[in-house]
Amino acid sequence: MEEAQTRLQKIGLDETTIKNTIKGKNALKSILQTLDLVGVQECDKKIGNLLYEMSQNLTEALDNRRALLAKYIVEGKITNKLQLEGGIEYLRTHTHLEQIPAQDFEKAAGVGIVVTPEQIKNTVAEFLQSKKDLKTIRYTYNFSEYTKQVRSLLPFAEGKLLTQELNQQIEAILGPKTEEDLKAAKTQVKKPQQQQQQQQQQQEVQQQVEEEDDCKFDISKLVARDLATTVNSEQLLNWRKQNFPYEVLTRFPPEPNGYLHIGHAKSINFNFRLAQHYKGVTYLRFDDTNPEKECQEFIDNIKENLRFLGYTPFKTTHASDNFGKLYDYAVQLIQKGKAYCCFLTKEESSKLRTDLKPSPYRETQPAENLEIFRKMKLGYYKENEVCLRAKIDPTHPNPTLRDPAIFRIRFTPHPHQGDKWCIYPLYDFTHCICDSIEGITHSCCTLEFEVRRDLYYWFLKELDLYRPFVWEFSRLNVSNTVLSKRKLHHLVFNNIVDGWDDPRILTLNGLRRRGYTADSINKFCDLISVTRKGNENFIGMHVLESCIRKDLDIKAPRTMAILEPIVAIIDNVAEDFSEELEVAIIPRNPQKGNRKILLTKQIYLDKNDVRTEDHPDFWGVAPGKIIGLKQCGPFKVLSVTANEVHLERLGKDVKPKGFLHWLSVKEATPCVARLYDYLFEAYDPNELDDYIKGINPNSKIVCPNAFMHKDLLNSKPEDKVQFERLGYFNLDFDSKDGKFIWNRTVTLQEKDKIKAIAQVDGKQVQKKDVPQQKKDASKKEAKKE
């Protein structure tokens, strides 16, 4: 490690960066690999930091471009972080190119562009001249927006110089800030357009709160929280200590209104492992407050998914078990004058809340409210005729605190409580109280719920209940897919995918059916970690794929299968020729032992490896070529027709360029192979005007005429294998009555792409989605085909 530390010092990295890099083996390996590629032993700090920045931001998909980027940095063509980011982004979006066009790459990376201080000065001056109202609005202008606009004019300008120049020129125009300027900034009146946008945001939030859906609001506009409301009294702390022996108690609280997806797996992983780390426990609590959308099927499926992932809850509870307590707590609020019954329609209430006006029923006396609430419980009123609202502040900047509804009428049977209730508490009222009475120490949720934290503690303060610690983390977004419940529902119910367990969507059912293991999903959750960086960041699908590859590499038995068979005959052996070959079941796990396969006169090859005409860059089956067959050595191709290949077996002293997979006709058993690709071609489908138009038409390819080895006849659903050169496959639940259907989990490498003949909805198509032969036919030839 001392040698590595010295080397990092010689490229100008600071001590903190060196210390953190040495701690992380992957980070250290990456930067040392970069330095070795360009032969750098010592360099100035600027180049060293750029090389380090580059090495830490390269994904697996860009590893083969490492030398290219490093060379541009060392040669002084890429001189700052902005240029580096431009170059990496270009490479990330052009991974399909075998050769990178230098002109296009250099344009994207700003190579040769030097932005002088004089250019910055002139550009800023021209920009400010266009802001005719600057002297009028003075220091109430939006500096970050100005910076963004100037940055678009000079994309490769040094950020520090740009902001300094912008500040200096604005101050030269307006003069130093006066007391009036400081006061105006605090009490700034928004423009009509800004007011309209804010009102629209507030309406959207209110609608989402009423529907118990994700709340999307710009929390930067909220007033500071009253942190006193989060503090537990000594009496409350003693209450918890006496009733709960665990110092850390978390919960996973799904609403049973749908199937879990990979984002829920992240939350499960975080909550359970947080508790385990501190020798605590975790509840599975169903937040079942909306009987119209919930059912027993979802409850059972959530329990099964937790079992699949390997987590056992401390207890399984239902929010609905506390409906009686929640009713009593609502009565307490009414008696304190902190809740009232409101007869406004949803539209009327929404308008008043948007206009920051109180409900006309807000001052109803507690005794009358208690009587109305009792009648609500007994079913005297119609649905939506009246609801119970918390009496907080109709003018509050946070819409969730503008007298939110906490009980409403629904004449719908509950999946867990049956017909016992006709009034149901809303999520915001229920969640915090259930957290409290269950002794939860850490209530963790995603960032879109941060706006509701004030409301969470308001209820607990008014009811004098124990207050858990609330912490929000970034929601998971994965590339080339969607995780929104609404969008998944649309995909399923419009038959765009084959149900909630379609292997192309990232529901836990879909992942399991595709062949993802619990270990790989948990490893993925550990790898991406939990942060507060925001809900807009994406994790590339390749990260998830890398986790399952590493897991199956040491677990999945090796065998061979043929997707599109063509018969090959070995001419120089007898008709009854048969040779038994012994091969490893899992090469990286010798304890699994060996298996036996037969080489016979007639074998199957894959049509994807066969051509009737040769090409200099092609090393598969073509007339006159020397090829290798896995486990059994070299062969010469004597002839090739559309339906048959003739081979001659050669001595082992001949060295072919590579080896193809094959299957003896005597050991081949019919099966079906499904080849899955990303559901969406777009990295972020949510950016599209119509995300459905981003669907990958070849996301599912069916090979109905495939063959597998007869050893797989005893396979059971969810058995996993590696079909050599083709990828990892999982036996589908549809396999029965002697019919075997294999779902491809993932290809062997991230870049495995060659053409395969298969069927989509019964039609023959060409598909670039079966493992690529090393040194395959040139890209030009592939394009011609």
Side-chain angles (χ1 to χ4, degrees):
M1 285 301 173
E2 289 182 4
E3 182 180 349
Q5 183 175 355
T6 301
R7 193 167 183 191
L8 296 182
Q9 287 172 340
K10 286 184 176 180
I11 65 169
L13 299 188
D14 61 71
E15 292 304 318
T16 302
T17 302
I18 293 173
K19 184 178 178 181
N20 292 334
T21 304
I22 290 175
K23 282 183 181 179
K25 293 181 180 179
N26 290 335
L28 180 61
K29 180 182 177 182
S30 184
I31 180 60
L32 293 180
Q33 182 184 351
T34 300
L35 297 177
D36 289 340
L37 274 174
V38 288
V40 170
Q41 296 298 325
E42 189 172 355
C43 63
D44 65 45
K45 183 177 180 179
K46 187 174 182 180
I47 290 177
N49 277 282
L50 281 173
L51 289 172
Y52 179 84
E53 187 78 15
M54 180 209 81
S55 67
Q56 304 310 307
N57 284 282
L58 286 186
T59 61
E60 289 182 11
L62 297 183
D63 198 58
N64 64 330
R65 307 298 186 194
R66 185 185 296 268
L68 172 70
L69 276 170
K71 184 179 178 183
Y72 269 85
I73 292 171
V74 171
E75 291 179 355
K77 295 179 180 178
I78 289 179
T79 60
N80 58 52
K81 189 175 178 180
L82 290 169
Q83 290 181 321
L84 178 61
E85 289 173 351
I88 290 177
E89 179 61 18
Y90 178 87
L91 295 177
R92 186 186 69 76
T93 55
H94 293 78
T95 54
H96 60 286
L97 296 178
E98 186 175 13
Q99 295 292 331
I100 297 297
Q103 186 175 356
D104 293 347
F105 170 74
E106 290 178 0
K107 181 179 178 182
V111 173
I113 295 177
V114 178
V115 182
T116 65
E118 189 67 18
Q119 285 177 292
I120 295 175
K121 182 178 180 179
N122 294 337
T123 303
V124 169
E126 291 175 7
F127 169 78
L128 292 178
Q129 285 176 8
S130 68
K131 299 300 176 183
K132 304 296 184 184
D133 60 346
L134 180 59
K135 290 184 178 180
T136 303
I137 63 175
R138 291 187 61 78
Y139 285 100
T140 59
Y141 70 92
N142 188 330
F143 183 78
S144 61
E145 184 59 29
Y146 277 26
T147 306
K148 182 180 177 181
Q149 291 178 33
V150 178
R151 167 71 64 204
S152 67
L153 300 173
L154 294 171
F156 296 104
E158 187 174 334
K160 187 177 180 180
L161 291 177
L162 189 147
T163 53
Q164 284 178 350
E165 186 63 32
L166 188 59
N167 266 319
Q168 289 173 5
Q169 291 200 30
I170 289 175
E171 188 169 348
I173 295 171
L174 302 180
K177 288 183 181 178
T178 63
E179 288 186 9
E180 287 76 16
D181 289 328
L182 296 173
K183 189 182 298 184
K186 290 181 180 179
T187 60
Q188 176 184 356
V189 179
K190 292 180 173 61
K191 296 178 182 179
Q193 183 181 1
Q194 291 175 308
Q195 290 177 332
Q196 185 178 358
Q197 289 173 347
Q198 186 182 31
Q199 288 176 0
Q200 184 178 355
Q201 278 185 321
Q202 292 165 352
Q203 289 171 352
E204 290 173 354
V205 170
Q206 173 54 25
Q207 181 180 357
Q208 289 162 342
V209 171
E210 294 287 346
E211 295 175 354
E212 301 186 75
D213 204 349
D214 289 348
C215 184
K216 299 176 181 177
F217 184 75
D218 185 357
I219 60 173
S220 66
K221 296 181 180 178
L222 300 185
V223 296
R225 290 185 174 83
D226 176 13
L227 296 179
T229 61
T230 70
V231 179
N232 284 296
S233 66
E234 187 175 347
Q235 182 181 0
L236 290 174
L237 290 173
N238 288 334
W239 169 85
R240 191 199 175 278
K241 189 174 182 180
Q242 291 168 7
N243 288 277
F244 302 95
Y246 301 99
E247 288 188 19
V248 173
L249 222 173
T250 62
R251 83 289 174 270
F252 172 60
E255 182 184 358
N257 64 351
Y259 293 90
L260 302 185
H261 56 61
I262 191 72
H264 296 105
K266 175 183 175 180
S267 179
I268 292 168
N269 178 279
F270 179 46
N271 280 290
F272 274 85
R273 299 209 176 184
L274 173 66
Q276 289 170 4
H277 182 75
Y278 293 99
K279 298 181 180 179
V281 292
T282 303
Y283 286 93
L284 166 63
R285 182 177 74 230
F286 292 103
D287 277 346
D288 51 349
T289 61
N290 190 351
E292 294 174 306
K293 296 182 179 180
E294 300 157 359
C295 66
Q296 190 63 40
E297 176 188 352
F298 296 138
I299 293 172
D300 294 340
N301 184 258
I302 290 169
K303 290 179 179 178
E304 169 58 23
N305 276 320
L306 238 70
R307 186 202 64 76
F308 163 66
L309 289 176
Y311 296 105
T312 302
F314 160 62
K315 286 182 180 179
T316 297
T317 62
H318 292 254
S320 58
D321 292 333
N322 298 311
F323 278 177
K325 292 181 180 179
L326 291 164
Y327 178 84
D328 292 340
Y329 284 127
V331 168
Q332 285 185 38
L333 290 177
I334 295 172
Q335 290 171 335
K336 289 180 65 178
K338 295 293 184 178
Y340 63 94
C341 295
C342 180
F343 287 85
L344 293 175
T345 65
K346 185 176 180 180
E347 293 73 20
E348 290 170 339
S349 173
S350 178
K351 186 176 188 309
L352 285 179
R353 288 161 62 88
T354 300
D355 295 340
L356 309 182
K357 294 180 180 178
S359 164
Y361 300 95
R362 199 170 192 270
E363 302 306 323
T364 305
Q365 293 301 305
E368 186 177 349
N369 282 319
L370 283 173
E371 179 62 18
I372 296 171
F373 191 47
R374 184 184 70 83
K375 288 183 177 180
M376 286 173 60
K377 179 184 177 184
L378 296 175
Y380 275 62
Y381 300 103
K382 300 176 183 177
E383 284 192 7
N384 301 318
E385 185 177 355
V386 59
C387 70
L388 182 69
R389 292 190 176 278
K391 189 176 180 180
I392 306 178
D393 182 358
T395 65
H396 201 283
N398 183 345
T400 65
L401 294 174
R402 294 180 197 157
D403 292 8
I406 57 177
F407 263 92
R408 80 288 205 204
I409 301 169
R410 290 290 184 272
F411 294 106
T412 303
H414 191 279
H416 188 60
Q417 293 291 332
D419 295 324
K420 186 176 179 180
W421 294 87
C422 66
I423 58 170
Y424 293 99
L426 276 89
Y427 170 86
D428 285 320
F429 181 65
T430 306
H431 187 75
C432 57
I433 293 175
C434 287
D435 277 354
S436 180
I437 62 182
E438 289 182 348
I440 301 301
T441 58
H442 295 75
S443 179
C444 303
C445 54
T446 46
L447 279 173
E448 60 266 29
F449 289 94
E450 189 171 19
V451 70
R452 295 160 123 147
R453 193 195 294 182
D454 299 83
L455 183 57
Y456 182 101
Y457 285 117
W458 186 89
F459 286 123
L460 298 182
K461 175 180 178 294
E462 293 299 331
L463 295 168
D464 195 26
L465 295 175
Y466 166 76
R467 297 154 209 185
F469 174 78
V470 175
W471 191 77
E472 299 90 359
F473 56 91
S474 300
R475 184 180 61 222
L476 176 62
N477 295 305
V478 181
S479 70
N480 304 97
T481 192
V482 292
L483 296 179
S484 156
K485 279 185 180 179
R486 178 180 59 82
K487 290 178 180 177
L488 287 172
H489 190 279
H490 180 81
L491 292 172
V492 171
F493 285 92
N494 286 277
N495 299 315
I496 297 169
V497 296
D498 303 326
W500 289 103
D501 61 351
D502 188 300
R504 292 168 292 179
I505 59 177
L506 299 193
T507 57
L508 293 183
N509 284 26
L511 286 167
R512 186 174 178 180
R513 190 172 186 181
R514 185 155 178 170
Y516 277 81
T517 61
D519 286 345
S520 67
I521 295 171
N522 286 322
K523 178 63 178 176
F524 171 74
C525 294
D526 290 338
L527 192 63
I528 62 175
S529 72
V530 176
T531 70
R532 282 178 53 84
K533 290 183 179 179
N535 282 339
E536 305 307 319
N537 293 327
F538 271 75
I539 301 296
M541 184 74 82
H542 68 277
V543 179
L544 180 59
E545 292 176 333
S546 176
C547 292
I548 186 62
R549 282 193 189 98
K550 289 178 181 178
D551 191 40
L552 294 182
D553 185 39
I554 58 173
K555 293 180 180 178
R558 272 45 166 184
T559 185
M560 287 189 276
I562 303 296
L563 299 184
E564 288 295 328
I566 182 171
V567 174
I569 301 170
I570 307 172
D571 286 358
N572 62 335
V573 299
E575 290 295 328
D576 59 350
F577 169 76
S578 178
E579 180 180 334
E580 190 175 77
L581 307 169
E582 192 166 327
V583 297
I585 294 175
I586 304 178
R588 294 197 181 211
N589 194 350
Q591 293 84 356
K592 293 294 182 179
N594 298 328
R595 64 186 181 90
K596 294 178 180 179
I597 59 175
L598 287 181
L599 174 65
T600 57
K601 186 176 182 66
Q602 292 192 14
I603 61 174
Y604 287 122
L605 298 178
D606 204 305
K607 285 184 179 179
N608 303 296
D609 292 326
V610 178
R611 293 185 182 180
T612 55
E613 294 182 9
D614 194 13
H615 187 282
D617 295 325
F618 179 65
W619 58 270
V621 177
K625 300 285 283 190
I626 303 296
I627 64 167
L629 296 184
K630 280 183 169 289
Q631 317 298 341
C632 54
F635 291 77
K636 182 176 182 180
V637 182
L638 301 177
S639 64
V640 178
T641 65
N643 300 310
E644 193 172 270
V645 175
H646 284 265
L647 304 174
E648 178 185 354
R649 194 175 191 186
L650 303 176
K652 293 186 178 180
D653 55 328
V654 179
K655 301 296 181 184
K657 291 183 177 180
F659 290 85
L660 307 177
H661 62 291
W662 56 276
L663 205 57
S664 167
V665 170
K666 290 185 178 180
E667 294 188 317
T669 299
C671 67
V672 174
R674 296 171 178 163
L675 309 181
Y676 290 105
D677 198 352
Y678 296 162
L679 181 58
F680 291 90
E681 293 177 315
Y683 188 83
D684 178 8
N686 301 294
E687 288 186 342
L688 304 175
D689 293 335
D690 181 1
Y691 75 102
I692 295 300
K693 292 181 180 178
I695 292 283
N696 178 4
N698 294 320
S699 59
K700 177 184 176 182
I701 302 297
V702 179
C703 302
N705 304 313
F707 283 112
M708 67 181 190
H709 195 279
K710 68 176 184 180
D711 285 352
L712 298 176
L713 282 170
N714 294 322
S715 299
K716 304 180 297 296
E718 291 196 274
D719 280 355
K720 295 160 180 61
V721 298
Q722 183 199 108
F723 289 150
E724 295 191 44
R725 297 183 66 240
L726 300 178
Y728 294 101
F729 284 75
N730 181 65
L731 191 62
D732 192 82
F733 295 110
D734 287 343
S735 300
K736 53 188 175 182
D737 301 327
K739 184 179 181 180
F740 294 85
I741 302 173
W742 294 93
N743 297 330
R744 188 173 64 188
T745 308
V746 68
T747 55
L748 297 183
Q749 297 179 17
E750 187 179 340
K751 294 183 180 179
D752 284 347
K753 300 282 181 183
I754 66 168
K755 293 186 180 295
I757 301 172
Q759 288 191 1
V760 183
D761 298 330
K763 296 179 181 180
Q764 292 284 332
V765 299
Q766 290 280 340
K767 171 63 181 169
K768 298 187 297 179
D769 198 53
V770 184
Q772 189 174 28
Q773 304 170 357
K774 299 172 184 176
K775 303 177 184 177
D776 192 11
S778 68
K779 296 293 180 181
K780 291 182 180 179
E781 184 68 17
K783 287 180 181 178
K784 289 179 182 178
E785 293 181 354

